[in-house]
Amino acid sequence: MSHVEDELRSQPECWVRAAGEAARHGDVLPAAGERVAVVGCGTSWFMAQAAAVLRERAGQGETDAFAASEFPHGRSYDRVVALTRSGTTTEVLDLLGRLKGPTRTVAITADPRTPVMEAADDVVVLDYADEKSVVQTRFATTALTLLRAHFGLHGDAVVTDARTALAEPLPEGLVDCTQFTFLGRGWSVGLANEAGLKMREASLAWTEAYPAMEYRHGPISVSTEGTATWMLGEAPEGLAQQVRDTGALWVGGSLDPLAELVRAQRLAVAVAAARGLDPDQPRHLTRSVILATP
């Protein structure tokens, strides 16, 4: 079993622990009414997208999400939340350094032995969700679960759905598809982006992701026999049939969207195996992007 497969299978237990710890970290996580930005790179950016929508939908306050390198320094925030598994990513550390002082910052990380411990004002360490694989799975979803619980949006059904996602077989014929598109709505758009990234990283698959309502505005033109369209969350009216009419395989999201992401992680590993690839060592990637100082 690869590291990534072993790690993705541990997610239900990690989520239970994170949800149970959320109240303990409540004094450093965003308070209701604060204007907040959530930042990250790669997978962490996509989790930031999901977290921002969830927080606003929970009535907690205006929340934006940015890639750390694209943070708008002309805007004012009460608190910035940085998601960083490694605690060493250059763009995140640079941003935290620039924000030091005028803006309160909190980092959610997996490694307490890294520079982020000093770069952020506050730190939440999820070391039990750290990973050996370059490809992120459980840290990302555990960090999101922590925030989801902090917003009052986590329940036992999410964990039950995750266990179902791990136990049930993938849809027949899915692994043999040559192109994959993931769709989301609201907070699950970020999850769709992440599902697409997992497929590209682990299996070098041709993969795209879109807001579900945007799929009909051009992207559906790539759908045909041998392609798959996977919906994370409730699909817009009529979209499933429109996809089936193209000859593509439609995969409806019957579970909580975060649990659907677990299914997509499993697909990435399965496609990698079918193609003879090592999902723990994706091409051209490292655990953390550390840029040389000019």
Side-chain angles (χ1 to χ4, degrees), residues 43 45-51 53-54 57 144 182-197 200 208-214 230-234 257-258 261:
T43 288
W45 176 34
F46 298 143
M47 294 300 103
Q49 292 173 353
V53 177
L54 284 171
R57 287 193 172 180
L144 182 58
F182 295 93
L183 305 178
R185 301 180 82 178
W187 73 284
S188 69
V189 172
L191 303 186
N193 288 332
E194 170 58 9
L197 179 62
R200 290 189 290 274
E208 300 177 337
Y210 301 96
M213 292 296 288
E214 287 297 306
W230 190 327
M231 182 72 212
L232 281 71
E234 185 178 355
L258 196 58
L261 177 58

Side-chain angles (χ1 to χ4, degrees), residues 33 46 52 98 172 209:
F46 298 143
R98 289 190 63 178
E172 186 176 353

Side-chain angles (χ1 to χ4, degrees), residues 68 92 155 164 181 238:
V92 173
T164 299
T181 300

Side-chain angles (χ1 to χ4, degrees), residues 54-132:
L54 284 171
R55 185 172 185 268
E56 288 203 353
R57 287 193 172 180
Q60 296 280 305
E62 184 176 346
T63 316
D64 296 320
F66 303 103
S69 59
E70 298 298 323
F71 185 82
H73 288 278
R75 295 188 188 181
S76 175
Y77 291 97
D78 298 309
R79 195 180 306 253
V80 172
V81 179
L83 306 179
T84 170
R85 177 183 65 171
S86 69
T88 59
T89 303
T90 298
E91 298 100 302
V92 173
L93 294 177
D94 286 350
L95 175 60
L96 291 173
R98 289 190 63 178
L99 295 174
K100 197 78 169 181
T103 304
R104 193 75 186 176
T105 60
V106 56
I108 302 176
T109 188
D111 192 342
R113 302 172 300 275
T114 58
V116 77
M117 301 297 291
E118 298 297 327
D121 295 310
D122 302 296
V123 182
V124 176
V125 178
L126 306 177
D127 51 356
Y128 56 88
D130 203 357
E131 296 156 327
K132 294 180 180 179

